[in-house]
Amino acid sequence: MKILGKFIRGLATVIGTIFNILINIMNIITIAFENIRQLLVMIFFVGCSVFIFFPIFLINIPRPVFWFLMAVIFIPILGPKFISFLRYANYTLTEWMYDKADTMITGEQVGYKNLSDYSDRYRYEQEQARRRAYEEQVRRQQEEMNRRFEEFVRGFGGYYQQQSGGYGQGGYNQGNYGGYTGVNNIGFKEKYEEATRILGVPVDTDIYQVKLNYRKLAKKYHPDVSTDPNATEMFTKVNEAYEFLSEENIKKYKSQFM
């Protein structure tokens, strides 16, 4: 059973790698065709005569060009849906296989018994991610409103200082408002990139890929199942990297360094 479990674990790694390659290829194709679509739309709108006679133009164009235009129209629409399906299939199948392998190796039940349970958990995590994204959007909007209010207060304080001589040495622009510099990011970039290196994800990763790689590495270096002499040290580093690569920190890095 242990040998079969190790075989299933290796097979799950291969399948996960294939899924990740397909997802990356589809991402590239979707982005490329979306850029082409935007370029063509801009050309059609700039050349009004071409845009008006576009139906006639479609009838007379060669068939390969016609199918290329159809791909330009539909791939940007269907591509994200197909990528979403690949991620769903990757998570559901590989997580089930990893837990099944661990059950065979350790002799204890790990994870769920049915594949449908992993499907339900994926949908639940996606719903939680959407909820967190909405809350983050609301938080950012609130911060933007607060920032504009602070700018208004600082501007009002400066105007009042000019009119009445101000208060003390700097009026309202002195102190907390005048010295506001935002979040201190010293060391954040280095810590983030080191965490992505440990988990084996790109710096423009998403929380889904972080979770997937974390589960794989946590199982690989778990002291109870790993024979690697550095398993304990690596297991600690993997957990620390996973804790640091929160959804908030991922968005923070992308907004400030990309």
Side-chain angles (χ1 to χ4, degrees):
M1 292 297 290
K2 290 184 178 181
I3 295 175
L4 180 58
K6 291 181 180 179
F7 172 77
I8 293 176
R9 176 184 286 179
L11 182 61
T13 302
V14 173
I15 292 175
T17 301
I18 294 174
F19 269 113
N20 286 330
I21 292 174
L22 290 175
I23 290 170
N24 290 331
I25 291 174
M26 282 304 304
N27 265 321
I28 294 172
I29 293 174
T30 302
I31 293 173
F33 274 88
E34 174 62 24
N35 291 334
I36 295 173
R37 185 183 68 84
Q38 292 179 1
L39 178 62
L40 291 179
V41 168
M42 183 171 57
I43 292 174
F44 290 148
F45 274 97
V46 170
C48 294
S49 60
V50 176
F51 180 76
I52 292 173
F53 295 104
F54 184 59
I56 300 175
F57 172 72
L58 282 179
I59 295 174
N60 296 322
I61 63 174
R63 187 170 295 274
V65 178
F66 172 81
W67 288 116
F68 174 75
L69 291 176
M70 291 299 100
V72 169
I73 294 173
F74 289 106
I75 286 181
I77 299 173
L78 300 178
K81 297 182 182 299
F82 185 59
I83 292 171
S84 178
F85 172 76
L86 288 176
R87 287 178 171 173
Y88 160 76
N90 184 21
Y91 178 91
T92 303
L93 182 58
T94 57
E95 290 298 295
W96 175 75
M97 293 179 70
Y98 276 124
D99 287 344
K100 181 66 69 176
D102 288 345
T103 299
M104 292 180 177
I105 293 173
T106 62
E108 298 179 358
Q109 178 62 42
V110 177
Y112 306 107
K113 292 183 179 181
N114 298 323
L115 191 62
S116 60
D117 293 329
Y118 291 89
S119 175
D120 293 339
R121 186 174 71 178
Y122 177 82
R123 292 191 178 93
Y124 172 77
E125 290 185 356
Q126 291 299 299
E127 182 62 32
Q128 292 296 103
R130 283 191 289 269
R131 180 184 60 80
R132 289 192 296 267
Y134 173 75
E135 292 176 351
E136 177 67 15
Q137 180 183 2
V138 172
R139 185 185 66 82
R140 287 180 179 275
Q141 291 175 349
Q142 185 63 42
E143 288 180 350
E144 179 65 16
M145 292 175 61
N146 292 341
R147 183 186 64 81
R148 292 180 180 180
F149 178 75
E150 289 173 2
E151 290 178 352
F152 169 77
V153 171
R154 288 198 296 270
F156 180 79
Y159 172 79
Y160 191 79
Q161 179 186 2
Q162 293 176 3
Q163 299 298 319
S164 61
Y167 291 100
Q169 296 181 351
Y172 285 95
N173 285 328
Q174 200 72 8
N176 291 336
Y177 288 122
Y180 180 79
T181 58
V183 179
N184 188 346
N185 287 318
I186 296 177
F188 172 79
K189 184 174 185 290
E190 292 75 11
K191 291 179 181 178
Y192 180 93
E193 293 175 354
E194 175 65 13
T196 58
R197 185 190 65 80
I198 291 174
L199 289 187
V201 296
V203 293
D204 60 344
T205 186
D206 54 29
I207 193 65
Y208 162 79
Q209 190 63 50
V210 168
K211 289 181 178 180
L212 191 62
N213 281 33
Y214 164 73
R215 285 184 62 85
K216 294 177 181 178
L217 292 175
K219 292 174 182 178
K220 178 180 178 181
Y221 293 112
H222 196 287
D224 293 340
V225 297
S226 178
T227 58
D228 192 314
N230 299 320
T232 302
E233 180 183 356
M234 286 301 302
F235 186 73
T236 301
K237 288 184 178 181
V238 166
N239 277 280
E240 291 176 349
Y242 175 67
E243 291 178 1
F244 184 79
L245 291 177
S246 62
E247 189 170 11
E248 181 180 356
N249 281 347
I250 292 173
K251 292 180 179 179
K252 178 180 175 182
Y253 181 89
K254 290 180 179 179
S255 65
Q256 296 184 7
F257 301 107
M258 294 184 66

